[in-house]
Amino acid sequence: MFLVLRNNVVLLMTMMMMVMTMSDGAVYKIGDSAGWTSIGLVDYEHWAASKNFHVGDTIIFQYNPQFHNVMRVTNEMYKSCDASAETPLETFSTGNDSIKLNNYGHDLFMCGFPGHCQKGQKIDINVIRVSAIKPPTPSRGDDQCPCPNKAAPLVASFALIGLAMSFFALAAF
């Protein structure tokens, strides 16, 4: 009986580790429904400031590749909005570019088409460490926010673990 219980505990721990490693970061579509554009529909600075980006998150740039691109740039290029000043770190041009955030700090992007960066088509994605997050200050009416339930994946993971524990408890008898 002890051997069966020990084997079940090892299996349960393995399953818990698998559930924990399967969870990916969040996925953000730059500019939400407006996408990556230069026509002034999105204040990208404000959009990015309203998010908490983490290592493992993915950002998606959606745009018409005939009129836009995405360039990961240096701080100097970002500040000057000059795509010809130096070579960008990376250039994307598919119109549906998915970029995984792998490091802490600032990732700077801009459109390399003439005049677009000057019109505001640039974004600073600041990937923060978890300890740097300040809890949000509740404001009046937050209890009625139609926000999605961000705890759902965690609850689902615990439900899966509970189901597995029940199965192993029955199997031990």
Side-chain angles (χ1 to χ4, degrees), residues 30 36 44 47-48 61 78 107-109 121-125:
I30 301 296
W36 185 237
Y44 292 107
W47 183 91
F61 289 86
Y78 185 82
D107 283 310
L108 306 171
F109 300 93
Q121 196 175 4
K122 65 180 188 174
I123 190 165
D124 177 354
I125 303 294

Side-chain angles (χ1 to χ4, degrees), residues 56-106:
D57 288 352
T58 299
I59 55 174
I60 298 173
F61 289 86
Q62 290 183 337
Y63 55 93
N64 184 333
Q66 292 179 322
F67 304 108
H68 305 286
N69 66 11
V70 177
M71 297 169 56
R72 186 187 308 243
V73 297
T74 65
N75 191 39
E76 292 76 26
M77 288 179 76
Y78 185 82
K79 281 195 235 177
S80 69
C81 276
D82 188 356
S84 64
E86 57 184 286
T87 305
L89 303 173
E90 286 181 276
T91 301
F92 306 91
S93 57
T94 68
N96 192 27
D97 306 316
S98 179
I99 302 167
K100 189 161 189 168
L101 303 173
N102 293 318
N103 300 303
Y104 296 108
H106 295 267

